[in-house]
C-alpha cells in the first residue's frame, strides 16, 4: 500500500482489511495510479489523503456511513471524505443542499465552510465508492478496482459490526444496500442531495439527520452533533 505514496490509515482498518490489501486487484489499483502519475495526469485527492476517511474514523468507532460515488474532480476540492471540501474551498451544491436539510430538520445554522472532519471524528464514516479520480474527469477511476475494495469495506462493517446507520442517497448508493445485513444495521435511503435530484423533491424533507440520531439514541449511543462550526 505504501508503495503508492505515504498514505495515512488507522491501524484498525489495516487489520480489518488486511486480506483486501493483499489481493491482486488491489495491486492493480496501485499500478494504475502509478501509471497515471507517470503519464502526467493529476489525480485527486492528494496521495496522503486517499484514505483520509479510514484515518479519521477508526473501524470500531463507525456509527454512521455516508456513501458518496467518487471524489470531487476540481482543483483543491477532494480531501478523502465524501461530500467534504477544505475550509477555503467553495461549498459544492450537493453539500449546500445537505446543509439546507440540516437547517430544516434540526434547526442548525448553515455553516460557512464545507469541511466535514468534525463529523468523521464522531464516527461518521464519509466513504466514496471510488477513492481517486483524474482531474476534471468525473468517475474516471470507477472501473480500476476501487469499487471492489469499497464493497469489501461495506461488507466488513456489515459482518463485523452492529447497529450502524447507513445513509444511501441516490440510485448509485442505494444499490449498495445488498451488501448490508439489515437485520443488524439500519439503512436509510432517499434521493441524492444534488440539485438535479433535490429540486425534483427527492431529497428535502427526508430528515435523515434527526432519524440517524434517534436510531443511535435507541442503542444507547451518543448522537451526532451535526453542527459544523
Amino acid at each position: 500500500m505504501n508503495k503508492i505514496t505515504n498514505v495515512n490509515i488507522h491501524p484498525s482498518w489495516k487489520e480489518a482489511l488486511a486480506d483486501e490489501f493483499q489481493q491482486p486487484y488491489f495491486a492493480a489499483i496501485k499500478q494504475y495510479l502509478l501509471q497515471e502519475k507517470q503519464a502526467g495526469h493529476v489525480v485527486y485527492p492528494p496521495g496522503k489523503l486517499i484514505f483520509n476517511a479510514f484515518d479519521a474514523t477508526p473501524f470500531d468507532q463507525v456509527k454512521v456511513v455516508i456513501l458518496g460515488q467518487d471524489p470531487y474532480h476540481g482543483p483543491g476540492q477532494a480531501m478523502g471524505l465524501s461530500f467534504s471540501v477544505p475550509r477555503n474551498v467553495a461549498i459544492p451544491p450537493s453539500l449546500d443542499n445537505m446543509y439546507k436539510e440540516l437547517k430544516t430538520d434540526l434547526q442548525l445554522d448553515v455553516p460557512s465552510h464545507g469541511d466535514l472532519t468534525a463529523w468523521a471524528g464522531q464516527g461518521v464514516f464519509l466513504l466514496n465508492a471510488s477513492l481517486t479520480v483524474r482531474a476534471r474527469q468525473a468517475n474516471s477511476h470507477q472501473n480500476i478496482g476501487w469499487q471492489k475494495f469499497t464493497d469489501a469495506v461495506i461488507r466488513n462493517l456489515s459482518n463485523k459490526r452492529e447497529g450502524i446507520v447507513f445513509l444511501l442517497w441516490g440510485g448509485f448508493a442505494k444499490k449498495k444496500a445488498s451488501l448490508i445485513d439489515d437485520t443488524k444495521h439500519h439503512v436509510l435511503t432517499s434521493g441524492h442531495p444534488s440539485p438535479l435530484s433535490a429540486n425534483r423533491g427527492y431529497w428535502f424533507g427526508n430528515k435523515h439527520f434527526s432519524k440517524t440520531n434517534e436510531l443511535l439514541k435507541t442503542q444507547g449511543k451518543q448522537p451526532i452533533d451535526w453542527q459544523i462550526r
Side-chain angles (χ1 to χ4, degrees), residues 40-219:
H41 296 298
V42 175
V43 172
Y44 298 132
K48 67 179 181 179
L49 294 179
I50 291 175
F51 287 90
N52 192 18
F54 298 81
D55 199 46
T57 312
F59 180 82
D60 56 355
Q61 294 179 27
V62 174
K63 296 195 287 189
V64 182
V65 176
I66 298 181
L67 183 66
Q69 190 161 357
D70 75 327
Y72 296 118
H73 53 86
Q77 290 181 302
M79 56 182 294
L81 304 175
S82 63
F83 295 100
S84 181
V85 292
R87 284 176 177 258
N88 60 341
V89 173
I91 297 172
S94 292
L95 182 55
D96 186 54
N97 283 337
M98 289 165 60
Y99 285 169
K100 289 176 180 176
E101 177 61 23
L102 271 169
K103 183 174 178 62
T104 58
D105 184 13
L106 292 169
Q107 294 73 55
L108 298 182
D109 295 333
V110 175
S112 61
H113 65 86
D115 186 349
L116 305 181
T117 301
W119 289 1
Q122 298 177 72
V124 181
F125 185 45
L126 298 166
L127 177 67
N128 277 316
S130 295
L131 299 189
T132 59
V133 67
R134 187 187 291 182
R136 297 182 176 85
Q137 296 185 36
N139 295 316
S140 48
H141 287 179
Q142 65 177 335
N143 295 320
I144 72 170
W146 279 131
Q147 291 194 38
K148 186 170 184 176
F149 175 74
T150 53
D151 282 358
V153 170
I154 295 170
R155 279 194 298 266
N156 264 270
L157 285 169
S158 178
N159 293 339
K160 298 175 183 177
R161 296 288 314 283
E162 291 186 6
I164 295 174
V165 182
F166 288 85
L167 303 181
L168 307 182
W169 300 334
F172 176 86
K174 289 176 185 178
K175 293 177 182 176
K176 304 298 182 179
S178 63
L179 305 171
I180 303 163
D181 183 349
D182 61 7
T183 68
K184 295 171 58 183
H185 303 280
H186 306 281
V187 179
L188 301 182
T189 62
S190 83
H192 196 276
S194 67
L196 182 64
S197 176
N199 292 340
R200 290 178 176 174
Y202 301 133
W203 165 257
F204 293 116
N206 65 27
K207 298 187 181 297
H208 275 192
F209 301 105
S210 61
K211 288 177 180 177
T212 293
N213 278 353
E214 288 303 315
L215 290 168
L216 293 175
K217 286 190 283 188
T218 60
Q219 301 177 61

